[in-house]
Amino acid sequence: MMRIVAGGFHIESSTFTPYISGTADFTVRRGADLAARYPWIADQRFGEDLEWVPIVHAGALPGGVVDRDFYDSWEAEFLTGIERELQSPGGVQGVLLDIHGAASVEGMMDAEGQLAVKLRDLVGPDVRISTSMDLHGNVSPDLFESCDLLTCYRTAPHIDSPETRERAAELLVQALRTDQPIYRARVAVPILLPGEKTSTVVEPGKSLYGMIKPLIADYDLWDAAIWMGFPWADQPRCHGVVVVSGQDQAGVRAAAEELGAAFWRAGTDFDFVGPTAPVEDAITEALNSPQAPFFISDTGDNPGAGGYGDSLALLRPLFAAWVAGPKRPSVLFASLFAPDLAPSLELGQEDVFELFQESDPSQPALPFPALVEKVWDDERAGRCAVLSAVTPVNAQLLESAQLGEVPPTFRVIVTEKRMQYAAEEDFARAGFAEFTDPMTDEPLGVVTVKIGYLEPDLAQASKGWVMALSEGAVNQDLVSLDFRELSHPLLPFDQFAGDPDLAAELLES
Ligand SMILES: [Zn+2]
């Protein structure tokens, strides 16, 4: 019987947001609950001579830097659990390390790398470690050196998370069943790109990730993987990496260098996967568009990549432009994280509400004269309210609305918890099923969402769309962020006179 322990830590977290991700943000799984994440345990598809032991896994939506006490307690439970299994009669022969790879933790520059070093020290040189990751994770030298095998997703948007975990497990079993050396090669590619440029469904990402399967076949590899790296953390490890593994030393090296060179050549071809515009231009386009609904992505504050969700960088100028006219389509701003304001609101209340940017107190509040049109307890966003603007340009019309005149509306959804309006059902709970204005039964004119590329429901509903290059913790214009710790030279921050050194580092285990 061979015994394999499994577990890990899964979050991508921005160092540019003041939000701290902690206990409340994580789902912690153990025992049978964690075993369900690894379906090959139940049906023993990799062999009946394997015993899989789930230890602990903590996963969260993207956020800010992880609270150190929370991380330390998870790490202690994980390592102590493995130590206990090491001392059991069967011992431990393999570890499946199930991580994202972009956890920013208070006081740590390379959380997963430091974890892998501790793990290797604990289990010793003979236990095999196989790692499953997100392609937006980072592979530092420490992580690479401590793990025998590393792989990551091959799709963005990610539709292959379960199969990636399964591939990492299968590679681990393969490693346990061989007594011949396994080689792995890493090439660091000095590029850092925002996710909105690196979808694998459009070029050049499509062709680059399309190389993986033919390369594995041509060189008779075990695996080949491409990490884009995480662009919103200020750490030396954040950049592109390729890792290739197999049993043919020369082939592993050659394939890694071929893939690394292709990644570098594609470097300057990566571009936004949809239309982009500066904030003012995006607003002008949206307010004047005859297409409804017209979506604006508030990209700089996307909670799906670690944004705080409270930025006024788009709301403030959008509201001002709407009030100034001349075009006033119905606008829905979804949404603003307002943890103090949202729970305090009552249906029918009318006031000039002060909208604050909690994460940046230096920003002046936005006075928002409005009526509380709806309040509800949302399964994801906590206590929520819809604020509908009451301004000189629509107040009179609002009063006469029952006479049949349609007033222009400008609504803001405020939420108690960080929230991303990414699916139609989220809008339906807020009263905007099928992106329709409940007052007119017509499509909403302009809908803003804190997101990058549109998720499927939104893409399907949208009649027009622009990604506003707004300021924020996940600013798409990386050069404008205050990076200090990155490894240089690095695209797009530095000029390259020629090609960088793309030689592979080769290790054997
Ligand atoms: Zn990702």
Side-chain angles (χ1 to χ4, degrees):
M1 211 65 182
M2 287 187 286
R3 302 183 77 242
I4 301 168
V5 295
F9 196 81
H10 194 108
I11 186 172
E12 68 177 31
S13 46
S14 171
T15 60
F16 294 102
T17 166
Y19 188 79
I20 300 291
S21 291
T23 314
D25 300 286
F26 281 86
T27 301
V28 181
R29 308 174 85 180
R30 307 173 174 89
D33 186 24
L34 180 52
R37 185 175 164 91
Y38 310 125
W40 57 87
I41 298 182
D43 62 17
Q44 297 183 297
R45 75 187 68 159
F46 299 132
E48 294 179 5
D49 59 338
L50 303 169
E51 185 190 348
W52 298 82
V53 185
I55 305 292
V56 61
H57 182 275
L61 293 177
V65 172
V66 178
D67 174 71
R68 184 60 183 262
D69 289 341
F70 175 79
Y71 176 79
D72 285 346
S73 69
W74 168 83
E75 188 192 84
E77 182 179 348
F78 184 60
L79 295 178
T80 310
I82 294 174
E83 195 173 8
R84 187 183 60 233
E85 298 304 324
L86 283 164
Q87 289 160 0
S88 75
V92 169
Q93 288 74 48
V95 180
L96 178 66
L97 186 58
D98 176 8
I99 56 177
H100 179 290
S104 301
V105 178
E106 285 176 321
M108 298 175 90
M109 272 290 164
D110 176 18
E112 288 87 352
Q114 288 171 245
L115 170 67
V117 168
K118 281 189 193 175
L119 180 61
R120 177 55 77 193
D121 283 350
L122 175 67
V123 300
D126 298 329
V127 170
R128 302 291 201 188
I129 303 175
S130 177
T131 300
S132 168
M133 298 176 68
D134 186 305
L135 65 83
H136 297 114
N138 309 293
V139 181
S140 67
D142 275 348
L143 184 64
F144 175 67
E145 284 157 24
S146 304
C147 302
D148 301 283
L149 295 155
L150 302 105
T151 193
C152 68
Y153 306 157
R154 294 171 180 171
T155 61
H158 308 317
I159 54 171
D160 65 336
S161 312
E163 73 184 71
T164 302
R165 284 193 288 276
E166 179 167 348
R167 187 169 64 249
E170 194 170 9
L171 289 167
L172 177 58
V173 173
Q174 209 171 318
L176 291 173
R177 297 199 192 286
T178 182
D179 51 10
Q180 298 299 306
I182 304 162
Y183 299 95
R184 62 187 184 280
R186 171 184 182 270
V187 176
V189 182
I191 301 176
L192 191 59
L193 292 156
E196 272 54 46
K197 288 186 176 178
T198 57
S199 164
T200 59
V201 295
V202 297
E203 298 298 351
K206 187 177 176 183
S207 291
L208 181 63
Y209 280 82
M211 285 179 68
I212 290 176
K213 284 181 181 172
L215 202 69
I216 289 172
D218 291 351
Y219 287 94
D220 194 22
L221 306 170
W222 280 22
D223 192 60
I226 306 165
W227 285 259
M228 285 293 158
F230 185 59
W232 293 295
D234 190 15
Q235 297 155 359
R237 64 179 185 164
C238 297
H239 54 76
V241 166
V242 307
V243 172
V244 165
S245 57
Q247 293 194 295
D248 171 16
Q249 185 174 356
V252 166
R253 183 191 292 278
E257 292 183 349
E258 188 176 324
L259 198 55
F263 188 173
W264 174 252
R265 277 197 307 276
T268 52
D269 294 338
F270 285 100
D271 204 350
F272 288 110
V273 298
T276 59
V279 168
E280 295 295 339
D281 295 352
I283 290 170
T284 303
E285 186 184 354
L287 292 181
N288 288 289
S289 172
Q291 316 290 351
F294 188 102
F295 283 83
I296 308 178
S297 294
D298 190 356
T299 61
D301 194 32
N302 172 12
Y308 202 90
D310 70 341
S311 168
L312 302 171
L314 175 62
L315 177 57
R316 192 190 306 272
L318 177 62
F319 184 53
W322 183 86
V323 169
K327 291 280 184 65
R328 294 192 191 94
S330 63
V331 173
L332 176 64
F333 190 90
S335 54
L336 191 74
F337 173 45
D340 296 328
L341 179 66
S344 74
L345 297 172
E346 286 169 29
L347 187 65
Q349 189 181 348
E350 193 175 331
D351 208 340
V352 178
F353 299 100
E354 299 274 296
L355 302 181
F356 284 101
Q357 192 160 323
E358 185 185 272
S359 63
D360 184 359
S362 71
Q363 298 287 327
L366 169 63
F368 191 69
L371 173 78
V372 179
E373 192 179 84
K374 180 180 167 80
V375 294
W376 76 103
D377 289 309
D378 192 83
E379 60 192 61
R380 292 181 59 210
R383 188 74 170 167
C384 295
V386 174
L387 299 179
S388 186
V390 179
T391 73
V393 302
N394 71 346
Q396 217 179 344
L397 281 166
L398 282 170
E399 275 171 26
S400 61
Q402 62 262 47
L403 304 176
E405 279 196 82
V406 177
T409 55
F410 190 109
R411 299 179 175 100
V412 176
I413 302 174
V414 290
T415 63
E416 181 182 6
K417 295 183 187 170
R418 288 172 72 237
M419 175 67 182
Q420 180 179 59
Y421 277 79
E424 196 274 337
E425 60 187 28
D426 300 326
F427 285 87
R429 290 196 304 278
F432 305 96
E434 313 216 317
F435 309 98
T436 298
D437 187 330
M439 195 177 284
T440 62
D441 276 336
E442 298 285 328
L444 291 160
V446 175
V447 180
T448 77
V449 270
K450 291 191 183 284
I451 211 164
Y453 46 70
L454 294 182
E455 294 293 326
D457 283 5
L458 311 185
Q460 204 183 1
S462 79
K463 296 287 190 286
W465 171 47
V466 64
M467 289 195 282
L469 300 175
S470 46
E471 286 180 20
V474 292
N475 196 318
Q476 295 287 326
D477 178 15
L478 299 183
V479 176
S480 72
L481 290 169
D482 185 21
F483 282 105
R484 291 152 194 247
E485 305 290 343
L486 294 175
S487 308
H488 291 279
L490 182 68
L491 275 184
F493 304 91
D494 305 298
Q495 301 277 346
F496 283 78
D499 284 348
D501 177 12
L502 297 170
E505 181 194 358
L506 191 90
L507 293 175
E508 172 185 335
S509 57

